[in-house]
Amino acid sequence: MCGYPENLLLIIRRLPLCCNQIYASFVMKLDDKSCNGAPDLIVEILSPGNTRKERCAAALKQKFDAYQEAGVQEYWIFQPDDRNVFQYVLNDEGIYIGLHPLTDEDELVSRVFPNFRVDLAAVFKD
C-alpha cells in the first residue's frame, strides 16, 4: 500500500480551516532540539462533501503561496470526492510546477522521497 524510507519521521496534524478540516502530513527536518527549515512534503486531504468551495479555494490558494514562499519542496492535495490528487514540486527558481493529476488508478510517487509511494486505489477504496 505505502512505503517510505526508514529515516523519515511523519508527523500528522489536524489543522482546522474556515472551510473544512485539513489533515496535513509533515516530513520534518529534525535535530535533537527542533525542526530546521520548512517541511520537505506537505499533504492535505480535503474534507469530503465540503459545501463552501469558494472559501476553501481561497484558503488553498493562500496556503499554496505560503508553502511555495517557505520553500516546501513538494505539496500534495487529495480530493476524496473526486478521487484525485494534485502534486506540486518546487523547481530550481522556487516556483511550484503542477504534475499530471492522479486518480485512483495511479500510484503517487514522491519526487522528494522516491521510495515513498502511495497506491491511490487503496487510499480511495470505498
Side-chain angles (χ1 to χ4, degrees):
M1 185 156 142
C2 300
Y4 56 89
E6 293 176 6
N7 62 343
L8 293 184
L9 174 62
L10 299 178
I11 300 172
I12 299 174
R13 301 174 105 178
R14 186 174 188 168
L15 301 176
L17 264 187
C18 61
C19 64
N20 61 11
Q21 293 296 317
I22 299 291
Y23 293 86
S25 297
F26 296 93
V27 180
M28 303 295 250
K29 301 171 212 167
L30 299 176
D31 62 22
D32 60 342
K33 296 178 184 168
S34 65
C35 175
N36 297 305
D40 294 310
L41 170 66
I42 291 182
V43 179
E44 297 204 34
I45 304 172
L46 303 182
S47 296
N50 187 349
T51 58
R52 299 183 194 127
K53 299 241 184 241
E54 299 82 17
R55 287 174 52 193
C56 184
L60 283 172
K61 183 179 183 318
Q62 181 180 19
K63 292 192 319 180
F64 178 99
D65 292 341
Y67 298 156
Q68 180 175 265
E69 184 177 329
V72 174
Q73 295 295 307
E74 190 167 5
Y75 177 32
W76 300 347
I77 302 172
F78 281 72
Q79 296 183 314
D81 282 346
D82 298 328
R83 302 172 72 93
N84 62 32
V85 179
F86 294 97
Q87 181 180 20
Y88 301 94
V89 179
L90 215 56
N91 69 11
D92 292 338
E93 288 80 38
I95 304 297
Y96 276 135
I97 302 300
L99 303 181
H100 192 275
L102 302 170
T103 69
D104 57 1
E105 297 176 355
D106 298 310
E107 179 181 57
L108 174 58
V109 179
S110 172
R111 298 298 174 104
V112 176
F113 304 105
N115 292 329
F116 183 25
R117 299 169 177 269
V118 180
D119 176 6
L120 295 178
V123 170
F124 292 123
K125 184 177 180 180
D126 291 327

